[in-house]
Amino acid sequence: LIRFLTVKNIINIIAEIGLETCFIHLTQLLQQEFSRWQSFEKMPRIASHFPYGVIELMPIHDEQFYAYKYVNGHPTNPQRGQLTVIAMGMLAEVSTGYPLLISEMTLLTALRTAATAALASQYLARSNARSLLIIGTGSQAEFLVLALKAVLNIQVVYFFDIDQRALEKFARNLMGYQIELRLCNDVKKIIKKVDIIVTATAKKGQTLILENSWLVPGLHINGIGGDCPGKTELDPAILRRAKVVVEYLQQSKCEGEIQQLDEYSCVELWEIITGKKTGRESNDEVTVFDSVGFALEDYTVLKYFYNLSKEMGIGEEIDLIPKVDDSRNLFSLLCTRHPKFHN
Amino acid sequence: LIRFLTVKNIINIIAEIGLETCFIHLTQLLQQEFSRWQSFEKMPRIASHFPYGVIELMPIHDEQFYAYKYVNGHPTNPQRGQLTVIAMGMLAEVSTGYPLLISEMTLLTALRTAATAALASQYLARSNARSLLIIGTGSQAEFLVLALKAVLNIQVVYFFDIDQRALEKFARNLMGYQIELRLCNDVKKIIKKVDIIVTATAKKGQTLILENSWLVPGLHINGIGGDCPGKTELDPAILRRAKVVVEYLQQSKCEGEIQQLDEYSCVELWEIITGKKTGRESNDEVTVFDSVGFALEDYTVLKYFYNLSKEMGIGEEIDLIPKVDDSRNLFSLLCTRHPKFHN
């Protein structure tokens, strides 16, 4: 029997260990997995584009585990009361090919995206960073803010959105989290007061959420919302000026903010983590983490929740593997149950 | 909630409609789907090769449905009492990206492989074909024989294997199916008596299950067991002499029997089905269906069982889609359940 984690199972696991602890663990695990980058067989995700959205498969493996995620992105789903992104994933054992875990990954994707931004920020934000501005308070926003708070010492969060209800939702959800929340009406003005900016808008197309002329020295930017061909948030001048870190160049050059550039000298996250390249080099440097989401992050969160589910005894078991006495006798499964074969 | 089909659900559905009817329907549906070949976005499967096996993802879609299968192939699994092949798959709605069905596919793969061979044989075997020889009586054998019997008028089945227990299992499973079963001790001799040959051995490497000099005019061969790089069953001289039909050339040229050739003039199955190319042209022609298994077959069997499961009310429902009032408020799922966040 294979382990299956439902949405409710994931909620219960997070409730049990606590979201802050979850983010701290996940950031540590991501650091460990990214530091053994060469152990993984990697490929850009396999995307199918439609007029109304995208469907992707994201596989990766090392010598022990094979992981993949199915995920969509349909920006008009909310108009019909549906989620933009739904995801599910599998962790399998490489030595036998047998699935170990099937899990919902809509929540897990939000967790791993946020934890990866937190990990990158540990290497790229100034060590005395205390405040951030988040632009776009949609479905990823609270996860991003709380992950950054969990691993850095964030005390003040400015938040901006063009949608009043998204602002209210964000503020309501984060009440009680010991964060000083400050509504931002003027992005350009607030930028001067913050150490970190997170851009996480849902808008399709090449938008200019941040202009280069607005920036001040020392900023770190987590660019989350530029994540597929044709969808970017940052002024390309920022990318030319800043140290830009990506997850996996081969994928990011098509999907990330850097798709706006003809040439780039960016660094992969694992290179900073292993010390092959340097992260932030001065307090004046502007840095960008150009996040698009990579299969290694799914691998990490699946392995983490697989272990948690075993330790905590949370999860369902599903009947996905045929049980036969003789492995060559698959047909025996049908032998007692085909009364109508002869018609 | 998403529909989920367990191994037991699949067994119950097949029992309800009858295996023969199931093969007849599936062959008809495959014919319909292959005949609209141009409607599908296709790619060769994404294979990860390991010392002990292979793990694959097989995606495909048209404008309405996206389907993929996860499947492994680990030839040494039976030594530990495990199955060589385990598969699971998903059918999703293209317009929203939402999953519709998750299903076991170990059984469904056996069904669709057999039905596709039956479909190809309808176009390639002589119309008066009554007898077949199957070489290799492993886990796929009974499915292949019964699918061919369901759509052609097969009355006599000769069967050969080097493993006595596999022969016994095969004969036992097919008792009562109104087939005249004849044990074959000498392949070369029996070939002269049959109309169709099915090769379905599990042996890795480039083997010579069938030699060209043994063949007689008019034979149709379903080559099932040559299905990954380095694994073939047929004498390459057969492929040079015969009309060879493949599912999808881009995939088959790496995985099928035709990987043994430097140049090939083979036909894709859909071309014969749509009348673009001719199938069998004379009673003397030797024909080969070089089957490796293609994602369109998984798409077809998933759609068929999705509809059956709805009509028959068989299947589980699983909690894989987060339920939120406001699609931007994914975080609300965690709002009532994070007592430990503040530690």
Side-chain angles (χ1 to χ4, degrees):
Chain A
L1 286 169
I2 295 167
R3 199 167 279 268
F4 178 69
L5 289 175
T6 64
V7 174
K8 193 168 211 83
N9 293 151
I10 297 291
I11 293 170
N12 287 339
I13 290 174
I14 296 169
E16 192 65 33
I17 55 169
L19 187 52
E20 185 162 40
T21 308
C22 179
F23 277 131
I24 291 168
H25 288 170
L26 195 48
T27 306
Q28 287 165 348
L29 293 169
L30 284 164
Q31 184 176 36
Q32 287 167 25
E33 303 294 8
F34 269 96
S35 72
R36 56 186 197 90
W37 183 255
Q38 311 297 352
S39 312
F40 293 95
E41 278 297 322
K42 300 168 286 285
M43 68 172 83
R45 54 188 155 210
I46 302 129
S48 302
H49 295 278
F50 306 99
Y52 18 76
V54 63
I55 293 180
E56 298 170 338
L57 290 177
M58 302 172 66
I60 192 168
H61 70 86
D62 61 5
E63 287 184 0
Q64 196 177 3
F65 297 109
Y66 180 99
Y68 78 83
K69 179 168 78 176
Y70 167 94
V71 60
N72 76 304
H74 283 64
T76 59
N77 273 2
Q79 294 167 15
R80 292 178 304 276
Q82 293 180 299
L83 291 166
T84 303
V85 172
I86 290 291
M88 68 141 272
M90 183 200 277
L91 188 72
E93 188 177 59
V94 159
S95 61
T96 61
Y98 270 50
L100 297 169
L101 171 71
I102 295 174
S103 179
E104 90 79 36
M105 287 196 77
T106 311
L107 277 167
L108 294 191
T109 297
L111 292 182
R112 65 76 154 153
T113 302
T116 306
L119 174 62
S121 301
Q122 284 182 309
Y123 290 90
L124 294 172
R126 291 196 318 278
S127 57
N128 62 349
R130 296 289 174 270
S131 60
L132 70 80
L133 161 64
I134 183 160
I135 303 174
T137 59
S139 59
Q140 304 294 310
E142 300 90 344
F143 296 92
L144 287 160
V145 165
L146 291 175
L148 285 159
K149 178 179 181 294
V151 303
L152 303 176
N153 191 10
I154 299 298
Q155 287 160 358
V156 183
V157 171
Y158 296 88
F159 58 111
F160 177 86
D161 202 293
I162 52 171
D163 181 334
Q164 181 63 26
R165 285 181 310 162
L167 291 169
E168 285 164 14
K169 171 222 62 152
F170 175 84
R172 198 168 54 239
N173 283 339
L174 292 185
M175 275 193 306
Y177 276 100
Q178 297 174 304
I179 300 167
E180 197 178 321
L181 291 174
R182 294 188 192 166
L183 183 63
C184 166
N185 294 310
D186 185 343
V187 164
K188 196 173 159 185
K189 207 169 107 191
I190 295 301
I191 284 176
K192 295 175 177 51
K193 300 187 180 181
V194 299
D195 306 310
I196 297 173
I197 301 177
V198 179
T199 57
T201 65
K203 198 147 185 294
K204 283 280 239 181
Q206 191 174 342
T207 53
L208 268 188
I209 306 296
L210 271 188
E211 290 190 29
N212 185 42
S213 62
W214 302 351
L215 302 190
V216 291
L219 273 174
H220 170 60
I221 301 164
N222 290 302
I224 310 296
D227 58 1
C228 70
K231 182 170 184 288
T232 60
E233 294 179 318
L234 305 183
D235 183 347
I238 296 176
L239 305 172
R240 290 192 198 96
R241 158 202 190 156
K243 169 172 286 163
V244 178
V245 174
V246 299
E247 290 140 312
Y248 178 46
L249 183 57
Q250 209 182 323
Q251 183 179 294
S252 301
K253 69 186 180 188
C254 305
E255 301 181 351
E257 295 297 335
I258 59 168
Q259 68 184 277
Q260 301 181 77
L261 303 181
D262 291 326
E263 47 185 54
Y264 24 71
S265 59
C266 48
V267 173
E268 286 182 326
L269 183 55
W270 70 275
E271 296 179 298
I272 292 180
I273 291 172
T274 57
K276 191 166 179 277
K277 299 271 174 73
T278 45
R280 171 169 293 276
E281 288 172 78
S282 79
N283 277 336
D284 288 340
E285 197 177 20
V286 171
T287 55
V288 173
F289 176 51
D290 179 8
S291 158
V292 297
F294 180 51
L296 180 52
E297 298 152 32
D298 302 316
Y299 170 102
T300 306
V301 75
L302 278 170
K303 216 164 98 176
Y304 178 42
F305 275 79
Y306 176 63
N307 289 328
L308 288 174
S309 86
K310 282 197 297 185
E311 285 165 29
M312 298 163 70
I314 296 179
E316 321 293 321
E317 298 207 312
I318 51 172
D319 166 30
L320 198 65
I321 310 278
K323 279 162 286 296
V324 291
D325 293 333
D326 173 356
S327 62
R328 290 160 311 182
N329 203 352
L330 187 63
F331 190 79
S332 64
L333 293 168
L334 305 183
C335 279
T336 52
R337 299 296 309 270
H338 44 70
K340 292 193 190 160
F341 184 80
H342 305 291
N343 291 346
Chain B
L1 287 167
I2 294 168
R3 199 167 278 267
F4 178 69
L5 289 175
T6 65
V7 174
K8 193 168 210 81
N9 294 150
I10 297 291
I11 293 170
N12 287 340
I13 290 173
I14 297 170
E16 192 65 32
I17 54 168
L19 187 52
E20 185 162 40
T21 308
C22 179
F23 278 131
I24 291 169
H25 288 171
L26 195 47
T27 306
Q28 286 165 349
L29 293 169
L30 283 164
Q31 184 176 35
Q32 287 167 25
E33 303 294 7
F34 268 96
S35 72
R36 57 185 196 91
W37 183 255
Q38 311 298 352
S39 312
F40 293 95
E41 277 299 320
K42 302 169 285 282
M43 69 172 81
R45 53 188 155 209
I46 302 129
S48 302
H49 295 277
F50 306 99
Y52 17 76
V54 63
I55 293 179
E56 298 168 339
L57 290 177
M58 302 172 67
I60 193 168
H61 70 86
D62 60 6
E63 286 184 1
Q64 195 178 4
F65 296 109
Y66 180 99
Y68 78 83
K69 179 167 79 176
Y70 167 95
V71 59
N72 76 304
H74 283 65
T76 60
N77 273 3
Q79 294 167 16
R80 293 179 303 276
Q82 293 179 300
L83 291 166
T84 302
V85 172
I86 290 291
M88 68 142 272
M90 182 201 277
L91 188 71
E93 188 177 58
V94 158
S95 61
T96 60
Y98 271 50
L100 297 169
L101 171 71
I102 295 175
S103 179
E104 92 78 37
M105 286 197 77
T106 310
L107 278 168
L108 293 191
T109 297
L111 292 183
R112 65 76 153 152
T113 302
T116 306
L119 173 63
S121 300
Q122 284 182 309
Y123 290 89
L124 294 171
R126 291 196 318 280
S127 56
N128 62 348
R130 297 288 174 270
S131 61
L132 70 81
L133 162 64
I134 183 160
I135 303 174
T137 59
S139 58
Q140 304 294 311
E142 299 90 344
F143 297 92
L144 288 160
V145 166
L146 291 176
L148 284 159
K149 178 179 180 295
V151 303
L152 302 176
N153 191 10
I154 299 297
Q155 288 161 357
V156 183
V157 172
Y158 295 87
F159 58 111
F160 177 86
D161 202 294
I162 53 172
D163 182 334
Q164 181 63 28
R165 286 180 310 163
L167 291 169
E168 286 164 12
K169 171 221 63 149
F170 176 84
R172 199 169 53 240
N173 283 339
L174 291 185
M175 276 193 306
Y177 276 99
Q178 296 174 304
I179 300 168
E180 196 178 319
L181 291 174
R182 294 189 192 164
L183 183 64
C184 165
N185 293 310
D186 186 341
V187 164
K188 196 173 158 185
K189 208 169 107 191
I190 295 301
I191 284 175
K192 294 173 179 53
K193 301 188 182 181
V194 299
D195 307 309
I196 298 175
I197 302 177
V198 179
T199 58
T201 66
K203 196 146 186 295
K204 283 279 242 183
Q206 191 174 343
T207 54
L208 268 188
I209 306 297
L210 271 189
E211 291 190 29
N212 185 41
S213 62
W214 303 350
L215 302 191
V216 291
L219 272 174
H220 170 60
I221 302 165
N222 290 302
I224 309 296
D227 59 359
C228 68
K231 182 169 185 288
T232 59
E233 294 180 318
L234 304 183
D235 183 346
I238 296 176
L239 305 173
R240 288 191 200 97
R241 159 200 190 158
K243 169 172 285 164
V244 179
V245 174
V246 299
E247 289 140 311
Y248 177 47
L249 183 57
Q250 209 182 323
Q251 182 179 296
S252 302
K253 68 186 181 188
C254 305
E255 300 181 353
E257 295 296 335
I258 59 168
Q259 67 185 278
Q260 302 181 77
L261 304 180
D262 291 326
E263 47 186 54
Y264 23 71
S265 58
C266 48
V267 172
E268 287 182 326
L269 183 54
W270 71 274
E271 295 179 297
I272 291 180
I273 291 172
T274 56
K276 191 167 179 276
K277 299 271 173 75
T278 45
R280 171 169 292 276
E281 288 172 79
S282 78
N283 277 335
D284 288 341
E285 197 178 18
V286 171
T287 54
V288 173
F289 176 50
D290 179 8
S291 158
V292 298
F294 180 51
L296 180 52
E297 298 152 32
D298 302 316
Y299 169 102
T300 306
V301 75
L302 278 170
K303 216 164 97 175
Y304 177 42
F305 275 78
Y306 176 62
N307 289 328
L308 287 174
S309 85
K310 283 197 296 184
E311 285 164 23
M312 298 162 69
I314 297 180
E316 321 292 321
E317 297 208 311
I318 51 173
D319 165 31
L320 197 66
I321 309 278
K323 278 163 286 296
V324 291
D325 292 333
D326 171 358
S327 61
R328 291 159 311 182
N329 203 352
L330 187 62
F331 189 80
S332 64
L333 292 169
L334 305 183
C335 279
T336 52
R337 298 296 309 271
H338 43 73
K340 292 191 189 163
F341 184 80
H342 306 291
N343 291 346

